[in-house]
Amino acid sequence: MIESIQNFAASFPDWLQWAGVMLASAIPFVESYFGAVIGVAIGLHPVVAILVAVIGNVISMLIFVYGAGAIRDKATKNKEVEEKPKRQRLKRMFDKFGIPGVSLLGQTLLPSQITSSAMVGFGANRNVVAVWQIISIILWGVLFGVLATLGIELALR
């Protein structure tokens, strides 16, 4: 799958490949980390690859966060939220790690779009979720972009 996304981004004209990386990074499970790797692999400058990967992922995540927030507001308007046993267990895990923990570590298991929507669904402040998700997206994008750059440099030696 990553190879076909890489081919998609590489199929853009050279001056527009950044847009392909940005679009690819908006896809859940590709995120900023694989987007940065794809950008570096197709020959974008690492800073550009990381920047556009982060921007694509952030835009997508914000749509999910504020969309989930709007849906939650409508669903819970003038209603008491029913706490089912499964929901209570997930909520306890969320309470244990908090927004920062889930934001920073959640991307190892699920895409930022899903983890951020879940946190908002649990009632977390969507602005706080958005800020921590942006921090996480930047950190993961930079980490993988640097690793990809170092890996390509080593491979070319």
Side-chain angles (χ1 to χ4, degrees), residues 121-155:
F122 287 135
N125 180 305
R126 61 193 88 165
N127 293 326
V128 175
V129 169
V131 167
W132 276 103
Q133 284 292 324
I134 290 169
I135 291 168
S136 176
I137 288 167
I138 291 169
L139 291 174
W140 284 103
V142 168
L143 174 67
F144 274 74
V146 168
L147 290 175
T149 302
L150 294 174
I152 289 174
E153 286 177 7
L154 282 175

Side-chain angles (χ1 to χ4, degrees), residues 74-90:
K74 284 185 181 182
T76 60
K77 187 175 184 180
N78 298 327
K79 293 181 184 176
E80 191 174 312
V81 178
E82 184 180 321
E83 290 292 327
K84 297 178 182 174
K86 196 173 198 178
R87 181 176 164 80
Q88 289 173 347
R89 188 174 22 175
L90 289 171

Side-chain angles (χ1 to χ4, degrees), residues 38-129:
I38 290 167
V40 169
I42 64 172
L44 289 178
H45 188 279
V47 173
V48 173
I50 293 167
L51 182 65
V52 297
V54 165
I55 291 170
N57 193 181
V58 166
I59 290 170
S60 174
M61 178 274 304
L62 289 174
I63 290 168
F64 276 80
V65 164
Y66 290 102
I71 291 169
R72 184 181 194 289
D73 290 347
K74 284 185 181 182
T76 60
K77 187 175 184 180
N78 298 327
K79 293 181 184 176
E80 191 174 312
V81 178
E82 184 180 321
E83 290 292 327
K84 297 178 182 174
K86 196 173 198 178
R87 181 176 164 80
Q88 289 173 347
R89 188 174 22 175
L90 289 171
K91 178 83 165 95
R92 278 194 308 271
M93 289 173 58
F94 166 70
D95 290 341
K96 180 179 179 181
F97 295 106
I99 295 171
V102 173
S103 295
L104 295 170
L105 300 174
Q107 289 195 29
T108 59
L109 301 174
L110 292 170
S112 59
Q113 295 91 340
I114 294 172
T115 56
S116 60
S117 298
M119 287 189 285
V120 171
F122 287 135
N125 180 305
R126 61 193 88 165
N127 293 326
V128 175
V129 169

